[in-house]
Amino acid sequence: MNSPILLQPDETFILNVGPQHPATHGVLRVKMEMHGEYIVNAETVIGYIHRMHEKMGELKTYPQFLMNLSRMDYLGALGYSHGHVLLVEKASGIVVPERAEYIRAIMVELNRIASHLFWFGAFVMDLGGFSPLMYALQDREHILDMLEAVTGSRLTYCYFRFGGLYNDVDDDFIAAARRFIPRMRKSMKKYHRLVTGNIIFRKRLEGIAPLSKEMCRKYGASSAVARGSGINFDVRKNEPYSVYPEFDFDVPVYHECDSLARYMVRMDEIEQSLRIVEQGLDKLPGGPIMPDKKPKLIKPPAGDYYQAVETARGSFGIRLVSDGGKNPYRLKLRSPTYSNMHLFDEACRGMMIMDALAFMGSLDLVIPEIDR
Amino acid sequence: MICEKLKLTLQTLFPEPTSAPLEAQSVGDDQDKKTITPPPPRPDGLLEREYSVHGYHLDAQIAPAQLLVAVSMLDDADFFIESITGVDWIKDNQLEVVYDFSRYDFDLCRVVIRTRVDRKSPVVPTITEIYPGANWHERETHDFFGIKFDGHPHLIPLLLPEDADFHPLLKDFKA
């Protein structure tokens, strides 16, 4: 028989959360030094599914690397591909037809909604509510079906090409997207009634894990983490790219700085994405989806190039150093959750462990995207 | 405009006027590729880049010793840290450390700070004292390039296995 371990009043113990733990949504490990229920210190250990995409970027030609981007963030893959194609198009001077850009924006926004829906379900499940996940997945399924019909895949899309798209949208897609918008708006009302007003839910998030503006800046946080702390920062507005200046949408900003603010930002973003999709469908111009003239071999001139885009998880940056060859000389992927997760160690000190797990959920982590 | 202001501040790092940009031969004109000799490494200095082509505004190449001063200037001007990475210029026998900074407000200004160190003994000072968020970025750069960040509190492998003694993004790395 083992005798129970007795701790001295001031003694701390080490608790390993992960690398295989449902609350971490992937292979993430947090080494926590605990004093009872309170976290004294935490060290996040990442890299369990590091695949070295950046080296692959150097070894592959530009088109060969297209499919790698969607393997980073499997929930909002199109945003990452968007950044990559925009960067290479900018560097090599390829002009994209307007129709292609509109379709890209529509697809990215639909993908963003799908990603937020999954986050919503998983987040509420972290807090102990199971059924919202099922509702959220049902709505998400509609988006995945739509995207599958056009792109050919459900998660790991390889839909964008340098200069345009792999496949044009058809009437079925447009009809399905138009049907989806009112459906999603109705669902949002349901989610707010079901979850947002729930007293247990609110008690677990309100005032928990406050992140100051200064801390966000020192760590380079973006997405709902920054916008929940009162920072009006959205790459689509701050550094407009693609056809986003053509759309009328708002950036939800909350000043409470707590986990609930981060939740509210993402919920409001779903509505804003719906507005973009709606306007995109209305404005969708005709014409080709690939340019007439496109270089056979993509060889951007020597130099440095940078492109930032707003993905479902925040500001994704991609830096290309070209030496004029057919492979990138260096390709750096700046993933948003990498920075968002980094501030966890500092922010969770002194927190109770259950609050820290709720906080972790509010960061919207996708581990393959941190580890790359 | 913050960009103009910052330009003047950063310019104080370089008492000598910056010489003309060296990337002139890059554009178009498919000349005989084999006859072109690669340009020599760029001298330290501040350059303004065309945002619509390169995606950033200011590009300062500094000596490693000036790094903390330059990063403090950005910190004082409320920039946030975007990323840190390296580039292996094996032909020049140098490693480059690249720091990206950007802003949260609508006064758009992207700044790149870069510094070059010798490939044999790559050491630069850490900026974790100024930006705690640099911690992981520096560990990652140490993983991939073997660049040592002097004064870093916890410079152990982050993404690579904990016993990794290789640096996969060096151009002479063989798996």
Side-chain angles (χ1 to χ4, degrees):
Chain A
M1 280 284 285
N2 290 334
S3 53
I5 300 167
L6 292 173
L7 291 170
Q8 295 303 312
D10 291 339
E11 210 174 339
T12 59
F13 62 94
I14 299 289
L15 179 72
N16 257 305
V17 180
Q20 303 283 347
H21 190 278
T24 60
H25 300 289
V27 277
L28 172 77
R29 173 174 162 223
V30 187
K31 229 158 66 182
M32 290 177 178
E33 189 189 346
M34 306 290 299
H35 185 260
E37 286 273 301
Y38 290 89
I39 299 169
V40 179
N41 231 324
E43 186 194 345
T44 307
V45 183
I46 59 169
Y48 285 94
I49 43 168
H50 174 56
R51 290 143 295 165
M52 201 75 228
H53 278 302
E54 295 177 14
K55 186 73 179 178
M56 286 189 239
E58 287 177 16
L59 299 176
K60 291 174 164 193
T61 63
Y62 290 91
Q64 283 171 343
F65 192 63
L66 276 171
M67 44 73 76
N68 277 63
L69 270 299
S70 54
R71 267 80 183 167
M72 282 181 60
D73 177 356
Y74 52 85
L75 291 179
L78 281 172
Y80 294 76
S81 309
H82 199 190
H84 180 224
V85 292
L86 283 173
L87 174 85
V88 176
E89 283 155 4
K90 179 163 78 178
S92 33
I94 301 168
V95 182
V96 187
E98 211 186 0
R99 182 179 172 84
E101 275 296 4
Y102 269 91
I103 296 174
R104 279 179 186 178
I106 293 171
M107 294 300 189
V108 170
E109 293 309 318
L110 283 173
N111 203 200
R112 189 189 311 276
I113 298 172
S115 166
H116 280 3
L117 280 172
F118 197 93
W119 161 81
F120 163 74
F123 181 48
V124 180
M125 198 168 70
D126 283 351
L127 300 173
F130 185 73
S131 41
L133 175 73
M134 291 295 133
Y135 289 119
L137 288 185
Q138 196 183 12
D139 283 332
R140 176 169 170 267
E141 205 66 11
H142 284 262
I143 301 179
L144 295 190
D145 285 346
M146 275 190 274
L147 292 180
E148 184 185 13
V150 177
T151 66
S153 23
R154 290 173 71 80
L155 283 180
T156 49
Y157 316 101
C158 186
Y159 179 51
F160 300 154
R161 296 287 185 273
F162 301 127
L165 306 167
Y166 146 75
N167 190 11
D168 202 350
V169 296
D170 52 9
D171 294 342
D172 287 349
F173 171 82
I174 291 174
R178 284 208 188 277
R179 271 201 309 277
F180 174 74
I181 293 166
R183 183 201 153 88
M184 191 64 230
R185 288 204 166 120
K186 216 172 131 195
S187 293
M188 285 313 290
K189 281 194 194 126
K190 179 170 71 190
Y191 297 153
H192 281 305
R193 272 210 314 276
L194 183 65
V195 175
T196 313
N198 185 306
I199 185 72
I200 301 171
F201 180 78
R202 292 189 83 95
K203 288 267 182 206
R204 290 211 48 195
L205 298 180
E206 255 170 341
I208 297 299
L211 297 176
S212 67
K213 271 185 191 179
E214 186 62 7
M215 191 167 172
C216 289
R217 184 176 74 81
K218 293 280 187 184
Y219 281 90
S222 52
S223 87
V225 180
R227 292 196 281 275
S229 294
I231 299 170
N232 184 6
F233 176 69
D234 185 315
V235 185
R236 290 174 293 175
K237 289 275 189 195
N238 289 57
E239 206 175 337
Y241 57 92
S242 185
V243 284
Y244 283 108
E246 311 289 316
F247 298 126
D248 175 27
F249 67 101
D250 301 319
V251 177
V253 179
Y254 283 77
H255 296 269
E256 288 82 3
C257 309
D258 56 1
S259 293
L260 188 68
R262 294 185 274 279
Y263 165 85
M264 289 309 293
V265 169
R266 287 203 188 89
M267 294 305 269
D268 290 2
E269 266 176 16
I270 296 183
E271 168 58 24
Q272 299 307 323
S273 292
L274 284 174
R275 279 175 69 191
I276 298 176
V277 173
E278 199 170 30
Q279 292 169 40
L281 292 171
D282 288 344
K283 289 183 178 172
L284 188 64
I289 53 157
M290 284 297 270
D292 308 327
K293 254 178 59 188
K294 198 185 126 187
K296 261 222 171 71
L297 200 59
I298 290 174
K299 278 183 175 179
D304 270 41
Y305 307 92
Y306 195 91
Q307 175 73 46
V309 289
E310 183 76 22
T311 65
R313 253 148 283 282
S315 156
F316 168 63
I318 173 163
R319 156 175 286 284
L320 165 70
V321 180
S322 169
D323 60 350
K326 62 183 185 350
N327 297 35
Y329 189 75
R330 173 86 179 91
L331 198 71
K332 159 80 184 167
L333 308 166
R334 186 264 184 203
S335 72
T337 14
Y338 188 81
S339 301
N340 290 353
M341 185 62 212
H342 191 182
L343 52 74
F344 180 83
D345 289 359
E346 194 184 318
C348 76
R349 275 179 213 147
M351 227 184 254
M352 290 186 80
I353 184 160
M354 289 317 286
D355 290 345
L357 292 181
F359 170 43
M360 197 189 277
S362 80
L363 293 174
D364 190 9
L365 304 175
V366 166
I367 310 301
E369 197 257 353
I370 299 180
D371 286 354
R372 286 161 293 144
Chain B
M1 285 297 284
I2 190 76
C3 252
E4 294 300 313
K5 260 194 220 160
L6 188 77
K7 204 179 124 194
L8 295 176
T9 325
L10 283 173
Q11 200 70 59
T12 57
L13 291 172
F14 311 104
E16 310 263 310
T18 308
S19 56
L22 272 165
E23 48 149 17
Q25 53 93 245
S26 61
V27 194
D29 300 339
D30 255 15
Q31 301 140 345
D32 225 339
K33 282 275 155 58
K34 279 162 201 157
T35 58
I36 296 176
T37 47
R42 182 187 135 187
D44 288 354
L46 181 68
L47 295 179
E48 264 184 280
R49 299 284 189 171
E50 181 56 48
Y51 174 75
S52 58
V53 180
H54 292 283
Y56 57 92
H57 300 89
L58 294 175
D59 180 344
Q61 182 172 313
I62 56 175
Q66 292 174 308
L67 190 67
L68 291 176
V69 185
V71 173
S72 306
M73 286 172 180
L74 289 158
D75 185 32
D76 293 341
D78 274 347
F79 278 75
F80 74 83
I81 182 161
E82 188 94 63
S83 69
I84 300 175
T85 189
V87 184
D88 181 12
W89 297 104
I90 191 164
K91 279 185 192 145
D92 305 333
N93 202 21
Q94 281 176 327
L95 284 171
E96 186 178 67
V97 193
V98 187
Y99 300 77
D100 278 286
F101 294 92
S102 185
R103 295 185 68 75
Y104 280 139
D105 57 16
F106 286 82
D107 199 353
L108 182 63
C109 181
R110 277 193 180 273
V111 183
V112 178
I113 303 280
R114 55 182 89 223
T115 182
R116 285 185 175 222
V117 283
D118 188 58
R119 219 164 164 273
K120 292 224 174 57
S121 56
V123 182
V124 290
T126 179
I127 63 162
T128 45
E129 293 286 309
I130 307 168
Y131 284 96
N135 191 317
W136 280 12
H137 293 294
E138 287 184 351
R139 275 172 74 185
E140 181 194 308
T141 312
H142 176 252
D143 278 9
F144 292 173
F145 293 93
I147 296 165
K148 287 200 180 58
F149 291 88
D150 200 18
H152 190 286
H154 199 52
L155 201 61
I156 60 162
L158 177 72
L159 293 173
L160 295 185
E162 52 204 15
D163 56 349
D165 56 353
F166 48 89
H167 304 296
L169 281 183
L170 292 176
K171 291 283 174 190
D172 54 3
F173 169 76
K174 293 276 180 296

